[in-house]
Amino acid sequence: MRKDKPLLLVSNDDGVNAKGIHELVKVLRSIGNVIVVAPDGPRSGSSSAITSANPLSFNLVKQEDGLSVYKCSGTPVDCIKLALHTIVPRKPDIVIGGINHGDNSSINVHYSGTMGLVIEGCLKGIPSVGFSLCDHGLDADFSFSLPYIDKIVRVVLLKGLPVGNCLNVNFPAKTKMKGVRICRQTKALWVNEFVEREHPHGGHYYWMTGDFMDIEQDAEDTDRWALQHDYVAITPVQIDVTAYALFEELKKWDLNV
Amino acid sequence: MRKDKPLLLVSNDDGVNAKGIHELVKVLRSIGNVIVVAPDGPRSGSSSAITSANPLSFNLVKQEDGLSVYKCSGTPVDCIKLALHTIVPRKPDIVIGGINHGDNSSINVHYSGTMGLVIEGCLKGIPSVGFSLCDHGLDADFSFSLPYIDKIVRVVLLKGLPVGNCLNVNFPAKTKMKGVRICRQTKALWVNEFVEREHPHGGHYYWMTGDFMDIEQDAEDTDRWALQHDYVAITPVQIDVTAYALFEELKKWDLNV
């Protein structure tokens, strides 16, 4: 690897063979040296899950000039942890997740394996960015998001991000985007979350599905509003989840025994 | 179920047979009607992971006056989603996670399946509290935490919690606790996260382990400080992870193409 180029660590939650990560890597190779450590299959909805009860392994699947691709048996967060512990030659300049097949805006940030790995990079003190396209299709068209990804990654490499902060970038599934908006996480609710099926041998089983219910449709500062109006939604995310606003109230409560 | 009593929905990430959830249920039965929907085995480190690629199922394992216990094939968050969708007779008055075998303070909140299920309850608009003891042992002694749990659950049932806020309560593994402290999430870092083993058939595999590195040991407002000084650490948690402090800076960046 040439030392003068930035080092980009890349993973996702759709697996090493997903179209989204291939499209992402094509853009990133023009920016620096790329190391991909991605799950060996789909891990959607992994959140920040880690694997401690089973051993983990990884294998090199491709090595070209400026690009190494590994597949890993674990979750997206496992991939980042293993990469940082034993694969990368030095601390990466940036951790990048995606491009996710599907929307990670609003409360989806909590379930997203893509954002899980981005938060892991952030916890390790590395500027980290997750990219997602609001299209679940295996063959989704990522092309219109690529110029934005190129721009955002270059700017973050140049300016850095404050420790404890990372970016959740979501693209509308549109051929024409109106530009970027800095957004807050939309309040929302998943409803009708299961489809019930009768088991041929007795009993029932349940498939997770669900309808996304917007609670604040007219709030123009939210990531959902931006996406619904054809903007790229950039939601800055922090790893300190303390609810400071609750301190004074809680301190008044008598909770001692 | 008697309608005059509060309804408490309980889960954990150590599995339905763990000592921690049994101790918890013993306390909660004196407060109201308890429905347990917990994983059928250990799911530590599940975070907010959900299961969408495989079907889920659950079974009743115990039914007594004021107590129903179900085991579920999914993650802690799956348990809460399934319970709310198809098991509970009405919206629970509180969602409770624990008692976790192990420390969920500081950045562990991101990996914790216990806090994952608590955040899920919170996302559904239900007051939600996670309890954890800083002792990983299967036979950990939870007895000294029980009076605090009784008190905290009763107060939360009485006062509620603001929408979008939940509580992460951690107990030191001590026989004498000095009382509760309202804390913020400590900044910290996991290091040395893997042990490498040679595979007898060639190659290597990796077990996740790690050392917890405190970054801010003298900060008296943190949950780690409280635990290290024998206090019960109550860290309020919010589900809005937007980094509002970054808005002005990001709005200055030229990210359009």
Side-chain angles (χ1 to χ4, degrees):
Chain A
M1 295 248 173
R2 285 168 293 190
K3 279 181 185 160
D4 53 331
K5 282 194 170 186
L7 178 61
L8 297 76
L9 175 60
V10 177
S11 191
N12 74 347
D13 72 356
D14 295 310
V16 70
N17 293 319
K19 181 178 178 185
I21 198 166
H22 282 264
E23 297 284 310
L24 177 62
V25 165
K26 273 196 274 182
V27 174
L28 300 181
R29 289 187 76 178
S30 72
I31 300 176
N33 292 318
V34 176
I35 297 179
V36 174
V37 184
D40 56 18
R43 303 283 193 285
S44 274
S46 289
S47 186
S48 289
I50 51 173
T51 305
S52 57
N54 297 300
L56 294 164
S57 60
F58 61 89
N59 299 95
L60 183 68
V61 292
K62 185 156 82 173
Q63 178 108 55
E64 297 173 6
D65 182 42
L67 172 67
S68 306
V69 179
Y70 298 84
K71 66 176 179 178
C72 169
S73 61
T75 66
V77 170
D78 294 335
C79 290
I80 298 302
K81 286 183 180 288
L82 259 178
L84 295 178
H85 183 266
T86 197
I87 299 176
V88 297
R90 65 174 178 87
K91 189 171 180 175
D93 298 295
I94 191 168
V95 169
I96 302 173
I99 308 169
N100 189 63
H101 294 240
D103 183 354
N104 280 326
S105 71
S106 183
I107 59 170
N108 300 328
V109 66
H110 286 287
Y111 307 113
S112 165
T114 299
M115 285 310 297
L117 78 90
V118 168
I119 287 166
E120 183 61 26
C122 188
L123 284 165
K124 290 290 191 274
I126 303 169
S128 301
V129 183
F131 295 108
S132 304
L133 178 73
C134 296
D135 183 344
H136 279 93
L138 288 177
D139 200 38
D141 183 358
F142 295 94
S143 60
F144 301 94
S145 66
L146 302 182
Y148 284 99
I149 291 174
D150 182 82
K151 185 72 174 278
I152 292 166
V153 170
R154 287 178 193 273
V155 172
V156 170
L157 280 169
L158 193 70
K159 295 182 177 276
L161 285 169
V163 173
N165 292 262
C166 52
L167 301 182
N168 180 14
V169 181
N170 286 272
F171 297 102
K174 293 287 166 66
T175 54
K176 282 188 186 169
M177 302 182 201
K178 290 182 189 161
V180 308
R181 281 176 75 96
I182 309 304
C183 309
R184 67 174 172 88
Q185 175 188 322
T186 317
K187 294 179 180 71
L189 198 61
W190 279 100
V191 294
N192 308 321
E193 294 193 284
F194 293 96
V195 168
E196 186 175 346
R197 293 269 184 271
E198 213 167 311
H199 199 291
H201 300 159
H204 294 83
Y205 57 90
Y206 298 82
W207 289 102
M208 195 176 290
T209 166
D211 300 318
F212 190 86
M213 196 170 96
D214 276 301
I215 293 176
E216 39 173 5
Q217 283 182 320
D218 299 327
E220 298 190 7
D221 58 345
T222 66
D223 45 15
R224 287 282 291 176
W225 189 94
L227 292 166
Q228 285 162 353
H229 292 80
D230 301 346
Y231 289 96
V232 180
I234 302 185
T235 311
V237 168
Q238 61 187 35
I239 56 180
D240 180 2
V241 296
T242 309
Y244 291 98
L246 210 53
F247 270 44
E248 289 316 305
E249 173 67 15
L250 289 179
K251 282 181 178 173
K252 286 184 222 155
W253 293 9
D254 175 19
L255 296 169
N256 285 309
V257 296
Chain B
M1 296 246 174
R2 284 169 294 189
K3 278 180 188 163
D4 52 330
K5 282 194 170 186
L7 178 61
L8 297 76
L9 175 60
V10 177
S11 191
N12 73 347
D13 72 357
D14 295 310
V16 70
N17 294 319
K19 182 178 177 185
I21 199 166
H22 282 264
E23 298 285 309
L24 177 63
V25 165
K26 274 197 273 180
V27 174
L28 300 181
R29 290 187 74 177
S30 72
I31 300 176
N33 292 319
V34 176
I35 297 179
V36 174
V37 185
D40 55 17
R43 303 283 192 285
S44 275
S46 289
S47 186
S48 288
I50 52 173
T51 305
S52 57
N54 297 299
L56 294 164
S57 61
F58 62 89
N59 299 96
L60 184 68
V61 292
K62 186 156 85 172
Q63 178 108 55
E64 296 173 6
D65 182 41
L67 172 68
S68 306
V69 179
Y70 299 83
K71 64 175 180 178
C72 168
S73 61
T75 66
V77 169
D78 294 335
C79 290
I80 298 302
K81 285 184 180 289
L82 259 178
L84 295 178
H85 183 266
T86 197
I87 299 176
V88 297
R90 65 174 178 87
K91 189 171 181 174
D93 298 295
I94 191 167
V95 169
I96 302 173
I99 308 169
N100 190 64
H101 294 239
D103 182 354
N104 280 327
S105 70
S106 183
I107 58 170
N108 299 328
V109 66
H110 286 286
Y111 308 112
S112 165
T114 300
M115 285 310 298
L117 79 89
V118 168
I119 287 167
E120 183 62 26
C122 188
L123 284 164
K124 290 290 191 274
I126 304 169
S128 300
V129 184
F131 295 107
S132 305
L133 178 72
C134 296
D135 182 345
H136 279 92
L138 288 177
D139 200 38
D141 182 358
F142 296 94
S143 60
F144 301 94
S145 66
L146 302 182
Y148 285 99
I149 291 174
D150 182 82
K151 185 72 173 279
I152 292 166
V153 169
R154 287 178 194 273
V155 172
V156 170
L157 281 169
L158 192 70
K159 294 182 178 278
L161 285 170
V163 172
N165 292 262
C166 52
L167 301 182
N168 180 13
V169 181
N170 286 272
F171 298 101
K174 293 286 164 66
T175 53
K176 281 189 185 166
M177 301 182 201
K178 290 182 188 160
V180 308
R181 280 176 76 96
I182 310 304
C183 308
R184 67 174 172 87
Q185 175 187 323
T186 317
K187 294 180 180 71
L189 199 61
W190 279 100
V191 293
N192 308 321
E193 294 193 282
F194 292 96
V195 169
E196 186 174 344
R197 293 267 185 272
E198 212 167 310
H199 198 291
H201 299 159
H204 293 83
Y205 57 90
Y206 298 82
W207 289 101
M208 194 175 291
T209 164
D211 300 318
F212 190 86
M213 197 170 95
D214 277 300
I215 292 176
E216 40 173 4
Q217 283 182 319
D218 299 327
E220 298 189 6
D221 58 344
T222 66
D223 45 15
R224 288 281 292 175
W225 188 95
L227 293 167
Q228 284 162 354
H229 291 81
D230 301 346
Y231 289 96
V232 180
I234 302 185
T235 311
V237 167
Q238 61 186 35
I239 57 180
D240 180 1
V241 296
T242 309
Y244 292 97
L246 210 53
F247 269 44
E248 288 316 307
E249 172 67 16
L250 289 180
K251 283 181 178 173
K252 285 184 222 154
W253 293 8
D254 175 21
L255 297 169
N256 285 309
V257 294

